[in-house]
Amino acid sequence: MTGSTARRQYLIFGGALAVICVALGLGYFLFLRADYAVLASGLRVEDASAIVAELDKRGTAYRIEDGGSTIRVPASEADATRVAIAGSDAAARGQIGFELFNKSDMGLTNFAQKINYQRALQGELVRTITAMEGVDTARVHLGLPERSLFRGERVEPSAAVTVTMKQGRIADAGRVAGIQRLVAATVPDLSEARVTVLDGQGRVISAAPGPAQSVNELDERQAIQAYYAARARAAIEPILGAGQFSVRVLVQTQGAAQGLPASIDRDKGAQRDFGLRLVVVTPAAIPAEDQAVVRDAAMQSIKADANRGDSVEFETGPLAVVPALVPPAIPMRSAPVPQDLTGEGGSRGSAGPAPAAPGWLWLGLAIAVTLLAGAILIRRRTQMTGEEHEAFAARLRRQLAITEEPADAQQ
C-alpha cells in the first residue's frame, strides 16, 4: 500500500468520525438538551441567595445569569419549583414572621417572648409592605414600651418604616398614608400620627403629625367627663327619679391647642380651668319649673361658673345606658344576723350592731341548760313526800315479817 493510499484512508476515517460527533452533538442539542426557564429575575443578592439555598436543599438543577439577578431551572420543573419556592422560607426574603412561634420553647422568659413577638410582628409587616406593587424593599422598626397601670407614666408606642421603591416608581401620599394606617391597625394603641415613613435616601415622606391629642389626654378627658356626670346624676335623681333621665358631660377647652390640666382637685371643683357642658336627656319634655330646679341642682353639683363657660342644657330622646363606674363587688357568703336579745331595737348610736357570738358558745350554753334541767328533774323524782315515806316503811316491814315467819317455823 502506497503512502497516498494510507493518507486517503486516514482522511476518510477522520471525516467520518467528525461527522458522527457533529451528528451526536446536534442530536443532543435538538432532542436531549433540557430547556431552562426563568424562575426569578431582577433579584437582589440576598434574595437570590435564599432561593439558591432552597434549590440546593431540594436537589433542583439551576443556572444563574445576569450577574446573579436571574435564576433559571429546567422548564419541565419550573412550575413545581415556583410553587415550592412560594411556600418556603425563601419567599419571605429572609424576614421572620409568626412562624417563629411554630416551635415554642417553654423555657423562654417573659422578656424573650416579648422580643420574639416584636420580631415576628415586624417581619409580618415587612412581608405585607413588600408585597405591594412598586415596593422593592422595606424595613419596619417598632417601639413597644412596657404598659403601666398609671396614665401619667404611660408611653405611647411608635413605629418607623423605611420603604425603597422600584426603579421609576415613587411613593405617593396615598401609598404613604396606607402604610401608616396598616402599621397603626396592626400595633395596639398606636396612632397613625406616630408612624414615620422614610424613603431609601432617609428622607421623611410622611406628613408631619398635627396637634392631635394623645391617648393619655383622651383617657383623662373621658375620666373627667364620667366623674362630673356621676356627680350631676346623684344630684338630679332625687328630683326626677332614678332611671328617668341620663346625663352627658362634655369638656369645653378655651383654645384649640389647649389641653387638659395635669390634675384636678375633685373636692374643689371651682379650681378647674376648663368649662363643662352638661346635657340632661329625658324621654319627654319636662316643665319649665322642673327644669329650673334640675338646673340649679346640676350647677351646684359641678360647682358651675359662668366665667368658665359652664352650662346645663335639656334634650328629649332615648336614654343612654350608664356605664358602671364602680367595679362589681366580690360575692361573699352571707353570715347569719343575730337576733336582738336586748330588746333595744338595735339602736346603739354610731357604734353599729354588736358582733355575733361564736356558734360553739351558743351550743355550750344549750347543753349546760339541758343538763341542769335534767338534774333538777331527777332530783325531784328521787325525793318522797311523808305519806310516800310511811307507805314505803310499811311495805318494808311486811316484807321483813314474811321473811322471819318461815325461819321461826323451822326452829
Side-chain angles (χ1 to χ4, degrees), residues 77-94:
E77 303 177 11
D79 295 337
T81 304
R82 191 174 292 111
V83 172
I85 292 296
S88 65
D89 295 337
R93 296 187 175 184

mmCIF file of all heavy atoms in Angstrom, residues 77-94:
data_model
loop_
_atom_site.group_PDB
_atom_site.id
_atom_site.type_symbol
_atom_site.label_atom_id
_atom_site.label_comp_id
_atom_site.label_asym_id
_atom_site.label_seq_id
_atom_site.Cartn_x
_atom_site.Cartn_y
_atom_site.Cartn_z
ATOM 1 N N GLU A 77 -39.526 21.460 35.248
ATOM 2 C CA GLU A 77 -39.684 21.581 36.689
ATOM 3 C C GLU A 77 -39.969 23.015 37.125
ATOM 4 O O GLU A 77 -40.023 23.291 38.325
ATOM 5 C CB GLU A 77 -38.409 21.090 37.399
ATOM 6 C CG GLU A 77 -38.029 19.659 37.046
ATOM 7 C CD GLU A 77 -36.725 19.247 37.727
ATOM 8 O OE1 GLU A 77 -36.263 20.007 38.609
ATOM 9 O OE2 GLU A 77 -36.184 18.185 37.396
ATOM 10 N N ALA A 78 -40.141 23.897 36.189
ATOM 11 C CA ALA A 78 -40.277 25.314 36.537
ATOM 12 C C ALA A 78 -41.535 25.572 37.362
ATOM 13 O O ALA A 78 -41.499 26.268 38.388
ATOM 14 C CB ALA A 78 -40.278 26.170 35.278
ATOM 15 N N ASP A 79 -42.672 25.024 36.942
ATOM 16 C CA ASP A 79 -43.927 25.300 37.649
ATOM 17 C C ASP A 79 -43.903 24.732 39.067
ATOM 18 O O ASP A 79 -44.273 25.422 40.040
ATOM 19 C CB ASP A 79 -45.107 24.728 36.865
ATOM 20 C CG ASP A 79 -45.286 25.408 35.520
ATOM 21 O OD1 ASP A 79 -44.815 26.565 35.386
ATOM 22 O OD2 ASP A 79 -45.874 24.787 34.618
ATOM 23 N N ALA A 80 -43.470 23.473 39.190
ATOM 24 C CA ALA A 80 -43.438 22.862 40.521
ATOM 25 C C ALA A 80 -42.439 23.574 41.423
ATOM 26 O O ALA A 80 -42.709 23.782 42.621
ATOM 27 C CB ALA A 80 -43.081 21.374 40.400
ATOM 28 N N THR A 81 -41.310 23.970 40.869
ATOM 29 C CA THR A 81 -40.314 24.671 41.683
ATOM 30 C C THR A 81 -40.822 26.039 42.099
ATOM 31 O O THR A 81 -40.598 26.487 43.228
ATOM 32 C CB THR A 81 -39.008 24.809 40.883
ATOM 33 O OG1 THR A 81 -38.565 23.515 40.460
ATOM 34 C CG2 THR A 81 -37.939 25.462 41.732
ATOM 35 N N ARG A 82 -41.502 26.738 41.218
ATOM 36 C CA ARG A 82 -42.047 28.057 41.545
ATOM 37 C C ARG A 82 -43.059 27.976 42.685
ATOM 38 O O ARG A 82 -43.067 28.809 43.591
ATOM 39 C CB ARG A 82 -42.672 28.672 40.300
ATOM 40 C CG ARG A 82 -43.021 30.143 40.462
ATOM 41 C CD ARG A 82 -43.498 30.735 39.152
ATOM 42 N NE ARG A 82 -42.405 30.809 38.174
ATOM 43 C CZ ARG A 82 -42.325 30.068 37.078
ATOM 44 N NH1 ARG A 82 -43.276 29.153 36.828
ATOM 45 N NH2 ARG A 82 -41.316 30.192 36.250
ATOM 46 N N VAL A 83 -43.910 26.948 42.655
ATOM 47 C CA VAL A 83 -44.886 26.772 43.729
ATOM 48 C C VAL A 83 -44.198 26.421 45.040
ATOM 49 O O VAL A 83 -44.555 26.919 46.119
ATOM 50 C CB VAL A 83 -45.918 25.688 43.341
ATOM 51 C CG1 VAL A 83 -46.824 25.370 44.525
ATOM 52 C CG2 VAL A 83 -46.751 26.145 42.154
ATOM 53 N N ALA A 84 -43.174 25.561 44.956
ATOM 54 C CA ALA A 84 -42.454 25.166 46.169
ATOM 55 C C ALA A 84 -41.710 26.346 46.781
ATOM 56 O O ALA A 84 -41.676 26.506 48.010
ATOM 57 C CB ALA A 84 -41.492 24.024 45.851
ATOM 58 N N ILE A 85 -41.119 27.197 45.946
ATOM 59 C CA ILE A 85 -40.399 28.363 46.463
ATOM 60 C C ILE A 85 -41.369 29.345 47.104
ATOM 61 O O ILE A 85 -41.074 29.961 48.145
ATOM 62 C CB ILE A 85 -39.611 29.041 45.325
ATOM 63 C CG1 ILE A 85 -38.475 28.125 44.855
ATOM 64 C CG2 ILE A 85 -39.057 30.381 45.774
ATOM 65 C CD1 ILE A 85 -37.433 27.857 45.902
ATOM 66 N N ALA A 86 -42.559 29.485 46.534
ATOM 67 C CA ALA A 86 -43.541 30.421 47.099
ATOM 68 C C ALA A 86 -44.000 29.996 48.483
ATOM 69 O O ALA A 86 -44.362 30.836 49.317
ATOM 70 C CB ALA A 86 -44.741 30.533 46.167
ATOM 71 N N GLY A 87 -44.001 28.683 48.766
ATOM 72 C CA GLY A 87 -44.426 28.203 50.080
ATOM 73 C C GLY A 87 -43.304 27.953 51.046
ATOM 74 O O GLY A 87 -43.539 27.399 52.131
ATOM 75 N N SER A 88 -42.079 28.332 50.699
ATOM 76 C CA SER A 88 -40.930 28.086 51.567
ATOM 77 C C SER A 88 -40.504 29.372 52.257
ATOM 78 O O SER A 88 -41.067 30.451 52.028
ATOM 79 C CB SER A 88 -39.776 27.512 50.746
ATOM 80 O OG SER A 88 -39.324 28.476 49.805
ATOM 81 N N ASP A 89 -39.495 29.240 53.080
ATOM 82 C CA ASP A 89 -38.957 30.403 53.777
ATOM 83 C C ASP A 89 -38.256 31.366 52.834
ATOM 84 O O ASP A 89 -38.065 32.537 53.177
ATOM 85 C CB ASP A 89 -37.969 29.962 54.866
ATOM 86 C CG ASP A 89 -38.654 29.158 55.959
ATOM 87 O OD1 ASP A 89 -39.879 29.304 56.107
ATOM 88 O OD2 ASP A 89 -37.950 28.386 56.648
ATOM 89 N N ALA A 90 -37.863 30.903 51.654
ATOM 90 C CA ALA A 90 -37.189 31.791 50.715
ATOM 91 C C ALA A 90 -38.104 32.900 50.225
ATOM 92 O O ALA A 90 -37.642 33.988 49.887
ATOM 93 C CB ALA A 90 -36.661 30.982 49.523
ATOM 94 N N ALA A 91 -39.429 32.643 50.186
ATOM 95 C CA ALA A 91 -40.364 33.682 49.746
ATOM 96 C C ALA A 91 -40.464 34.818 50.734
ATOM 97 O O ALA A 91 -40.910 35.914 50.397
ATOM 98 C CB ALA A 91 -41.753 33.067 49.520
ATOM 99 N N ALA A 92 -40.067 34.568 51.973
ATOM 100 C CA ALA A 92 -40.122 35.615 52.988
ATOM 101 C C ALA A 92 -38.973 36.597 52.881
ATOM 102 O O ALA A 92 -38.933 37.581 53.620
ATOM 103 C CB ALA A 92 -40.126 34.993 54.385
ATOM 104 N N ARG A 93 -38.043 36.346 51.954
ATOM 105 C CA ARG A 93 -36.892 37.228 51.729
ATOM 106 C C ARG A 93 -36.109 37.448 53.008
ATOM 107 O O ARG A 93 -35.704 38.557 53.342
ATOM 108 C CB ARG A 93 -37.352 38.567 51.164
ATOM 109 C CG ARG A 93 -37.996 38.461 49.799
ATOM 110 C CD ARG A 93 -38.288 39.819 49.200
ATOM 111 N NE ARG A 93 -38.803 39.703 47.861
ATOM 112 C CZ ARG A 93 -39.075 40.751 47.062
ATOM 113 N NH1 ARG A 93 -38.864 41.978 47.501
ATOM 114 N NH2 ARG A 93 -39.543 40.561 45.846
ATOM 115 N N GLY A 94 -35.956 36.395 53.778
ATOM 116 C CA GLY A 94 -35.152 36.494 54.986
ATOM 117 C C GLY A 94 -35.868 37.091 56.178
ATOM 118 O O GLY A 94 -35.264 37.227 57.239
#
